[in-house]
Structure formats: structure tokens, C-alpha cells
Amino acid sequence: MKTTLKILAVLLLTTNLSFGQNISVKIDTLLTPEIGRIKQVVEIKTDDSNKPILLFLAGGPGSSMINTADNFTNFLRNKFTIVQWDQRGAGKTLELNPSPTQPSVEQMKKDTYQVIRFLTKELNQEKIYLLGSSWGNVLGFYIVENHPELLHSYFAVNPVISQLASEMELLKILKVHFKENPIASKELASVNIPFKIDEDLFYIRKWLFYKEGKKYVTTDAFKNGFLKWSETWSPAWNEVMNIDLPKTLKEVNCPIYFFVGKKDIQTSTEITEKYFEELKAQKKDLFLFEKSGHQIHHDEPEKFQNTIIKKLETNKTEE
């Protein structure tokens, strides 16, 4: 069934028609539009399709937000039409069909644009609010730079800004933290930046996660799973290591808001703050989350949502 018909079915079941006004549609569905030659899963939840679209770009790469989204969108649903998208190679999209080619940054940027155009057409809105989490910012900043006309605002959450510099800083922090741990010290000493082999990134993430209290990272199962992930995603992540926004994107043409976890060492808070200060934008702001690491939406879900809602309301007042 075509995606338009799926929305129409929901409309017929739930809508009270009001002549002379926009139709208010309740939607809670998974759609599977063809994006980049494969079916990709898009989840739309709203009690009123006239509410502005807020599209989440999940981290990873290769991760999904769909199964946990209710935990950090329960307030946002009052103000937005919430959209989650499982990117190629991730979550329900991967279950539905594998990517016919190894995912690349370039391909996934094109996917992102197509998803946004799909949403604006299906929901009859000219613009959306866009939120990128971690890796999701690789895709989000592409839209900010190349298609700002599609955005009301952009929310950059723990963003990838200069990942090479960030990984180098992270490695230094981990070496100091684990200087009394002979196994960690040996493995971290073997790491090359830029990465030459998959184990380079594996050892950094292993000891980062161990520092965060995730003891399972010392198991063979975790290592095997990570290296399996690397078979798909190492080429894309090596592309990410070349991103250096302070050099390539010095001005944006849409409102932009940075959300930074004070405890985040995976994407350097210091690098993000410096970029924020230098970036030219119509409107910009930076919000520091004192209790958060790299997963603000999980660490401080209430403050995360209220900050977005407050910014939405402030912007409406100023319009």
C-alpha cells in the first residue's frame, strides 16, 4: 500500500472535518517510502498533523531511536509532530532490507534530503524542525549548509564538529585515566589516529564505555559485535574523521541551537563551544547540560525537551 493511502486511512478513522480550516489528522504509524533505492522506515506520531514536524537524526552510525523515543518525546508530542527515521543499515530499515551498497556519508546525506522532502509533501508543510544527535549531525549539518530553506531551526545535540581533534583529545583523556591499568594502557598505546585498522576505534570506544561503567565491553561478545559493526561502518566513520566544520562551515542561514553535555568526552565540549562562538548565524544559542554525557536525551530527558519547547515558543513570539 502506498504511504499516502496509509495516512489517508488514519485520517478517515480519526479526523473531524472542519470546512475552511486545515484538517487535523491523528497519525501513529510506520511508513516505508522508497529512499535511495531501498525501503526506509519512518515513524510519525502526532495527535494533530498541523503541528510542526520535528525529525530526529539518530546517532551511530547504525543506531535507531525508535524503540526508546517515547522516553524523551513525551512532552515534545504536545508541540510537535514527532518523526523518527531508521537510516539505511539501522534498526527497522535494516530488518526490512539491507543497503545494496556499503553505506557512505554521501549516500546518507542524499537519503536525509529525500526523507525531509517526503515528510513535507506527505504532511503538507513547507519546513521542519531538525535535530541531529552525535553522528546524526553529519547529516544534519549537510541540510543546514545546503538546504536551510527547509528548516525552521536546527538542534545540534552533542555534535560532530572536528572529529579528528575530538578523538585525539579523547585518547589523551583515556590514557591518563587508565594509566594504572596495564591492559588498558597497552591497548590505548596501540591506537593510531587517524585510524588505520578497526581495532584503533574499538580500543578507544571500549575504554570510553568502560570508564562510563559498562563492564560488558571487556567480553569477547562485545568485541566481536563491534568489529562486525566496523565491517559496515568503518569507511563512513573514516569519512567523518575528515569533517572540520570550523574550516568548512563558518556561517549558516537558519537558526541553530547547540545542546552540549558537560560530561561528554566523546565529542569534545570544548571544541563545540569554540565553534559556537565563531559561527555566524541568524539566531544561535548554546545550552549546557550539567548532568549529561554523550546521550543528553537519555541523561536529562525532561530538561532536553523543555529546552526545545521553550525555544519553539520564544521564536514564535519573535516572529
Side-chain angles (χ1 to χ4, degrees), residues 9-35:
V10 178
L11 184 153
L12 293 173
L13 290 172
T14 63
T15 301
N16 293 319
L17 298 180
S18 178
F19 292 101
Q21 298 179 0
N22 289 335
I23 296 174
S24 174
V25 184
K26 181 178 180 180
I27 305 171
D28 186 349
T29 189
L30 291 175
L31 304 180
T32 57
E34 184 168 310
I35 304 291

Side-chain angles (χ1 to χ4, degrees), residues 118-261:
F118 166 76
L119 290 170
T120 56
K121 182 179 179 180
E122 290 292 312
L123 296 170
N124 194 29
Q125 296 188 30
E126 293 183 2
K127 296 184 178 185
I128 72 167
Y129 289 88
L130 186 61
L131 185 150
S133 176
S134 188
W135 144 269
N137 287 277
V138 174
L139 311 178
F141 273 106
Y142 166 76
I143 300 299
V144 168
E145 181 176 8
N146 294 279
H147 301 286
E149 74 281 358
L150 296 176
L151 304 181
H152 293 295
S153 300
Y154 182 63
F155 298 97
V157 182
N158 291 117
V160 170
I161 302 296
S162 301
Q163 198 56 30
L164 180 64
S166 196
E167 297 286 1
M168 292 174 69
E169 183 61 29
L170 173 58
L171 183 58
K172 290 179 184 177
I173 292 171
L174 294 175
K175 284 181 175 179
V176 171
H177 182 81
F178 288 108
K179 63 182 179 181
E180 303 299 329
N181 183 320
I183 297 175
S185 295
K186 181 180 178 180
E187 291 181 349
L188 292 169
S190 73
V191 171
N192 301 287
I193 299 179
F195 304 132
K196 294 182 178 179
I197 57 175
D198 291 344
E199 281 78 4
D200 289 331
L201 179 59
F202 167 69
Y203 288 137
I204 286 186
R205 292 299 181 267
K206 171 185 175 179
W207 293 107
L208 168 64
F209 297 158
Y210 191 86
K211 182 178 182 296
E212 295 173 343
K214 300 169 184 175
K215 307 302 183 184
Y216 63 84
V217 298
T218 60
T219 65
D220 289 339
F222 175 77
K223 182 175 183 179
N224 293 337
F226 190 95
L227 294 179
K228 182 68 175 177
W229 171 90
S230 296
E231 291 177 10
T232 299
W233 293 109
S234 280
W237 193 250
N238 286 333
E239 290 183 72
V240 172
M241 293 287 284
N242 294 322
I243 291 174
D244 193 1
L245 294 181
K247 292 182 179 178
T248 62
L249 185 59
K250 299 181 179 182
E251 183 175 1
V252 300
N253 294 312
C254 68
I256 185 167
Y257 307 106
F258 292 82
F259 287 26
V260 180

Side-chain angles (χ1 to χ4, degrees), residues 161-167 169 246 267-276:
I161 302 296
S162 301
Q163 198 56 30
L164 180 64
S166 196
E167 297 286 1
E169 183 61 29
T267 50
S268 169
T269 297
E270 182 179 347
I271 289 174
T272 301
E273 288 177 329
K274 183 178 180 183
Y275 179 59
F276 166 76

